[in-house]
Amino acid sequence: MQRTRPVGDVLLKVDDITLSFGGVQALSGVSFDIRKHEIRAIIGPNGAGKSSMLNVINGFYHPQQGQITFKGQTRKQMRPHEAAAQGIARTFQNIALFRGMSTLDNIMTGRLLKMRSNFLFQLAWTGPAEQEETRHREFVEHIIDFLEIQSIRKTPVGQLPYGLQKRVELGRALAAEPELLLLDEPMAGMNVEEKEDMCRFILDVNDEFGTTIALIEHDMGVVMDLSDRVVVLDYGRKIADGTPDHVRGEQKVIDAYLGVSH
Amino acid sequence: MIYREAGQFKTTYRADQAVFPILQDRIAILLILAVAFIGVPALASDYLFLAILIPFLILSMAAIGLNILVGYCGQISLGTGGFMAVGAYAAYNIALRVPELNLLIVFLLAGGCAALVGVLFGIPSLRIKGFYLAVATLAAQFFLDWLFSRVGWFTNYTASGSVTAPQLKFFGYIVHAPTGKYLLCLCLVTVAAVVAKNLVRGRLGRSWMAIRDMDIAAEIIGIRPLQAKLSAFAVSSFFIGVSGALWAFVYLESWEPLAFDINRSFSLLFMVIIGGLGSILGCFLGAAFITIMPIFLNQVPAALGIPLSTATVSHLEFMIFGALIVFFLIVEPHGLARLWAIGKQKLRLWPFPH
């Protein structure tokens, strides 16, 4: 595959992250980095700590130890909305859309951080408030075109089939124009066609918008095809890190997935 | 057949974002406004104004306020009566102590006071949800009831605890006739509905609905729960406060704290639920249902010539009314507004099946 944007410098660096819930050690001493414009996969068996890792990155969990450097700024703790303001967006394993709102409104909420018109103008729906609304609507329409969901623009998302809901959720995350996009199992529960569509969208997002993507996925075929580099977690520890081909050959990875005889 | 939108192409985002994107709807709303502003004042009787239209309009405004909180932001509240009381007593005290102030400004300030109190009692919503929040707002209701009946300053130390509103005087003109009062309420409610619609379809409304539908995802998108919830409490209480002031000054004229007790909170919640959560139109439908239905039921036996004692009629009224509420909730849990929307959808295709 020919890439228009080469992989750049380190965008996010996770250093020695340790997270535990009571006596359960979710992550212990995990370190890795994500470079600009790359697609980075995080894989591992169930309960390996993949989702916890994403939750740490976007400020939902606060690790007991370790630090995160995003765009050169080091931080220890952050609220999710602060992470959003810095340019981290994500989708969820179980769809977390606003079910009562239309597709359009869902994606428009992704733009909320960029809207700041005065309360008084909003009351009257004139001047800056209206111009802003139209401007952002235009951007959102680009995303709707991009994801090919024009026909469901005004449909409440609660009525949409699963695959489309996943797509709308991706759209909502894209609307924030994130620098780092975290995808938590974007293809879980999809059939082959839907998976292929989703793969195409992920590659296009990466290529056209230049968005850096970190994704968790269980479908190994997808992971090996899409990602530039792969981190493998098992029981909260990093057991391998590198290109798909490299990771595939690691004995530890094979052991983690297939089990070892004692 | 008349309700067809074929041929109405939207060529700008602005046209698509309009409140009434369909031409027929625009015509209908203009007709309704024309009837409300011109037809009704010319034709209606004093009884119709005082017993039905004025309370309907004022309660619609309160329902709009409550719907913003419950229907759009998903924060349940049983303190509506208390917030209306804040508006009423704030307006009373401001008008009493600063008599030269224009009454419209008094109403706005009363709304502002209610907004402040609303924010104060909304703070627990940052920690608690659902039933627990309902109990917390119930506490607000009881506290405010107690405050206005026990602290003499609010009622200007009147012995009976009942207070009387000053004359309704705007720009030197005294509004006394029912028609004038009706037009006053109609203007204010129209403005309130437009403002509420503008808010809920914009940035603020989306952040409220996001909090309602999935607060965790809302926070990850960058919405601050604190700002979203408290702004909903503020805007909602503002409308409720203004409607409380109107209820006191225009409808009741003299009142005591009992006028804003827990029953008021419940009946407003019924209006919002029956009318349709998350719909401005629903506020009007719900208010109409709750205000007009009892009167209608009351008149039916007499109109049909059935000889029933007044006591039986009022008992029957309660029973039928309760049954109707249950019926509507079973048939359409999303309220009258949803029924209307479904009807409109059907009308677009009728008489063809699809």
Side-chain angles (χ1 to χ4, degrees), chain A residues 79 100 117 123 130 133 137, chain B residues 14 16 198 203 206 219:
Chain A
R79 300 289 306 153
S117 70
L123 283 182
E130 203 201 359
E133 185 81 12
R137 171 74 189 270
Chain B
R14 214 184 142 170
D16 193 45
N198 285 342
R203 170 168 71 97
R206 284 198 198 97
E219 202 178 344

Side-chain angles (χ1 to χ4, degrees), chain A residues 35-101:
Chain A
R35 291 171 182 279
K36 250 182 201 147
H37 305 316
E38 84 173 333
I39 299 182
R40 186 76 146 124
I42 304 173
I43 64 169
N46 285 330
K50 307 179 296 290
S51 289
S52 298
M53 194 67 237
L54 287 200
N55 284 335
V56 166
I57 293 175
N58 81 344
F60 212 68
Y61 291 160
H62 303 301
Q64 279 82 12
Q65 200 188 311
Q67 56 191 15
I68 297 169
T69 311
F70 183 61
K71 292 197 282 186
Q73 278 187 321
T74 301
R75 62 169 157 113
K76 188 140 195 271
Q77 286 203 348
M78 185 184 276
R79 300 289 306 153
H81 63 81
E82 294 168 325
Q86 283 203 355
I88 301 180
R90 76 172 284 184
T91 67
F92 291 82
Q93 188 174 352
N94 321 314
I95 298 167
L97 284 171
F98 307 125
R99 297 179 62 86
M101 298 159 75

Side-chain angles (χ1 to χ4, degrees), chain A residues 116-191:
Chain A
R116 28 188 111 272
S117 70
N118 191 299
F119 180 73
L120 289 175
F121 286 115
Q122 285 186 59
L123 283 182
W125 196 263
T126 52
E130 203 201 359
Q131 289 158 15
E132 182 180 66
E133 185 81 12
T134 309
R135 204 169 60 239
H136 289 292
R137 171 74 189 270
E138 214 172 316
F139 185 87
V140 165
E141 287 292 336
H142 284 307
I143 291 175
I144 289 178
D145 282 350
F146 175 78
L147 294 173
E148 297 157 18
I149 46 177
Q150 295 94 332
S151 58
I152 54 162
R153 201 183 267 129
K154 298 271 171 86
T155 317
V157 290
Q159 296 171 12
L160 295 176
Y162 182 81
L164 281 179
Q165 289 197 11
K166 281 269 187 194
R167 221 187 273 186
V168 175
E169 203 186 9
L170 176 64
R172 188 181 65 186
L174 284 179
E177 295 178 77
E179 285 188 56
L180 176 61
L181 178 60
L182 310 173
L183 303 174
D184 196 346
E185 301 203 19
M187 277 155 261
M190 287 188 170
N191 61 31

Side-chain angles (χ1 to χ4, degrees), chain A residues 119, chain B residues 65 68-69 111-120 122 199 208 227-241:
Chain A
F119 180 73
Chain B
I68 285 176
L69 189 63
C113 291
L116 280 180
V117 176
V119 167
L120 195 67
L199 284 181
W208 293 338
Q227 279 181 357
K229 286 181 181 173
L230 292 188
S231 66
F233 266 97
V235 173
S236 152
S237 306
F238 178 85
F239 284 126
I240 293 171

Side-chain angles (χ1 to χ4, degrees), chain A residues 188-215:
Chain A
M190 287 188 170
N191 61 31
V192 178
E193 285 86 10
E194 286 170 333
K195 274 187 189 177
E196 281 172 354
D197 279 345
M198 193 47 106
C199 287
R200 182 162 58 86
F201 290 132
I202 291 173
L203 286 172
D204 282 354
V205 166
N206 181 248
D207 203 40
E208 284 184 29
F209 300 133
T211 312
T212 310
I213 294 172
L215 73 104

Side-chain angles (χ1 to χ4, degrees), chain B residues 27-354:
Chain B
I27 295 172
I29 200 75
L30 283 178
L31 277 177
I32 290 171
L33 282 177
V35 168
F37 274 97
I38 302 161
V40 172
L43 297 172
S45 66
D46 281 5
Y47 170 78
L48 196 62
F49 280 129
L50 292 178
I52 297 178
L53 289 174
I54 291 175
F56 159 69
L57 286 173
I58 300 174
L59 291 177
S60 301
M61 191 198 276
I64 289 172
L66 185 61
N67 214 336
I68 285 176
L69 189 63
V70 182
Y72 285 96
C73 197
Q75 310 297 309
I76 193 151
S77 164
L78 288 175
T80 327
F83 297 136
M84 277 180 85
V86 172
Y89 283 96
Y92 171 74
N93 278 294
I94 294 167
L96 182 79
R97 288 160 220 279
V98 197
E100 60 273 17
L101 215 56
N102 188 310
L103 262 189
L104 280 179
I105 296 171
V106 171
F107 288 159
L108 289 181
L109 287 175
C113 291
L116 280 180
V117 176
V119 167
L120 195 67
F121 283 101
I123 291 171
S125 73
L126 302 175
R127 286 275 164 202
I128 53 181
K129 290 179 192 167
F131 288 125
Y132 303 94
L133 182 63
V135 173
T137 53
L138 195 61
Q141 170 74 43
F142 286 129
F143 171 75
L144 292 168
D145 269 357
W146 172 86
L147 187 72
F148 295 123
S149 54
R150 291 280 174 264
V151 179
W153 185 83
F154 291 106
T155 51
N156 201 24
Y157 303 102
T158 46
S160 62
S162 131
V163 294
T164 304
Q167 266 184 332
L168 288 173
K169 196 171 167 190
F170 295 97
F171 312 107
Y173 173 73
I174 295 170
V175 178
H176 188 70
T179 322
K181 288 179 173 178
Y182 163 79
L183 283 174
L184 168 70
C185 292
L186 185 63
C187 292
L188 289 175
V189 170
T190 311
V191 172
V194 170
V195 165
K197 187 72 199 173
N198 285 342
L199 284 181
V200 298
R201 68 193 170 126
R203 170 168 71 97
L204 211 51
R206 284 198 198 97
S207 66
W208 293 338
M209 289 189 277
I211 288 282
R212 171 195 70 189
D213 284 349
M214 179 86 53
D215 50 356
I216 292 172
E219 202 178 344
I220 276 169
I221 277 177
I223 295 168
R224 295 171 167 214
L226 177 100
Q227 279 181 357
K229 286 181 181 173
L230 292 188
S231 66
F233 266 97
V235 173
S236 152
S237 306
F238 178 85
F239 284 126
I240 293 171
V242 173
S243 73
L246 282 176
W247 188 253
F249 277 45
V250 179
Y251 179 63
L252 297 173
E253 291 174 348
S254 71
W255 73 95
E256 47 193 26
L258 213 61
F260 300 103
D261 66 354
I262 181 87
N263 287 326
R264 179 64 47 219
S265 300
F266 278 129
S267 88
L268 277 164
L269 200 59
F270 288 155
M271 280 178 206
V272 169
I273 292 172
I274 290 174
L277 290 168
S279 156
I280 299 292
L281 171 71
C283 302
F284 289 96
L285 297 178
F289 185 86
I290 299 269
T291 331
I292 297 167
M293 193 55 81
I295 297 170
F296 174 73
L297 289 175
N298 200 319
Q299 306 288 331
V300 168
L304 293 176
I306 305 166
L308 287 174
S309 73
T310 338
T312 322
V313 168
S314 84
H315 288 312
L316 271 181
E317 183 190 314
F318 273 118
M319 290 192 308
I320 297 175
F321 189 51
L324 272 176
I325 291 179
V326 175
F327 172 78
F328 266 112
L329 291 183
I330 290 172
V331 171
E332 185 50 71
H334 296 286
L336 298 169
R338 177 65 68 86
L339 278 180
W340 171 243
I342 293 172
K344 253 170 72 167
Q345 197 58 34
K346 290 236 158 53
L347 218 58
R348 285 168 71 188
L349 300 171
W350 186 87
F352 306 109
H354 46 79

